[in-house]
Amino acid sequence: MKNNNRTRIHFKGLGDVLVHHVCFKQGDLIANEHTFNIKKPNEYPRWRSKRKETYLAGRLAVQLAQFSQNFPLFDVIRGNDGAPIWPTNYIGSISHTDNEAVAIVVEPAELAIKGVGIDIERVQSAAQLQDRELIGEPKEYDLLRKAGFDESMAILILFSLKESVYKALYPYVKRYFDFLDAELVELEEHHCCIRTKVTLSDSVPAGFLVKARYQIQNSNLLSVAYW
């Protein structure tokens, strides 16, 4: 592993949470996987090296969060749908790029939230996103343009925000929803509000608001959503 660090994120009106990072070089984690106390899914041996590395990095980031915040150690196993399964009394989220993983673990009762989602993207990948119309609508891009972002960064930020919203809501609605099923409706500095456009469950109807924030650091874009 190259280095580990953490980022303090402010949830507006609620307080700060910690995002834990694990940076790694290709091959390092697999070479040392026998030293990690990480529960692996049955299909793990059949995965390609890249998928193994990002899985290990994500769970190591969770362990960092547990140690740092004095939480009990628990395995975050992989569900049949591929999503992490969190134990009772804790919620969290994991994301990764090719060489960095991030995790957030919180006690929902402490922050008075029910869901949280995180996403990390390489800023340089902004130029690769071409499906502008599949990610957002003109009024959403107008908000980001007024905040000073060019076309490519506006697409990347909207993509990342909606990825984090999906991760925050999915454990409760248990259904897939599209980028266009949610819309950015408020942007104030780095704080955002994103509203669902369709009913996802009885508790998440159309018009449901999810708060989010984003920040750019170390050539990465980090987005966190919560509700």
Side-chain angles (χ1 to χ4, degrees), residues 129-145 151-163 178-185 194-195 197:
L129 286 174
Q130 304 295 331
D131 298 326
R132 183 182 192 275
E133 295 81 7
L134 299 180
I135 296 170
E137 298 184 352
K139 58 185 177 182
E140 297 177 88
Y141 293 116
D142 286 344
L143 286 173
L144 290 159
R145 192 178 303 111
E151 176 83 0
S152 61
M153 274 305 297
I155 297 174
L156 183 67
I157 290 172
L158 197 58
F159 175 90
S160 185
L161 285 170
K162 292 188 178 184
E163 281 286 322
D178 194 79
F179 286 106
L180 296 180
D181 290 333
E183 61 178 337
L184 176 66
V185 293
I194 296 165
R195 181 170 61 202
K197 297 171 66 177

Side-chain angles (χ1 to χ4, degrees), residues 16-98:
D16 293 347
V17 297
L18 294 174
V19 174
H20 290 79
H21 304 244
V22 169
C23 302
F24 57 94
K25 292 180 180 178
Q26 184 176 356
D28 280 1
L29 298 185
I30 293 178
N32 294 284
E33 66 176 320
H34 62 284
T35 67
F36 306 140
N37 183 23
I38 295 175
K39 187 173 182 177
K40 306 177 184 72
N42 292 334
E43 61 269 27
Y44 179 87
R46 299 192 296 272
W47 288 354
R48 293 184 178 182
S49 295
K50 181 177 178 181
R51 188 175 183 187
K52 289 180 178 179
E53 285 189 321
T54 54
Y55 181 88
L56 293 171
R59 269 56 187 184
L60 287 172
V62 170
Q63 289 184 356
L64 284 177
Q66 293 167 334
F67 282 120
S68 174
Q69 298 167 203
N70 294 317
F71 291 161
L73 295 181
F74 49 78
D75 293 317
V76 180
I77 63 175
R78 182 177 181 271
N80 293 332
D81 56 3
I85 298 177
W86 301 89
T88 303
N89 300 328
Y90 292 91
I91 57 174
S93 187
I94 303 169
S95 184
H96 61 80
T97 65
D98 289 341

Side-chain angles (χ1 to χ4, degrees), residues 100-119:
E100 183 170 352
V102 290
I104 184 169
V105 183
V106 298
E107 293 179 282
E110 184 177 328
L111 282 176
I113 62 174
K114 293 183 178 179
V116 66
I118 193 169
D119 183 68

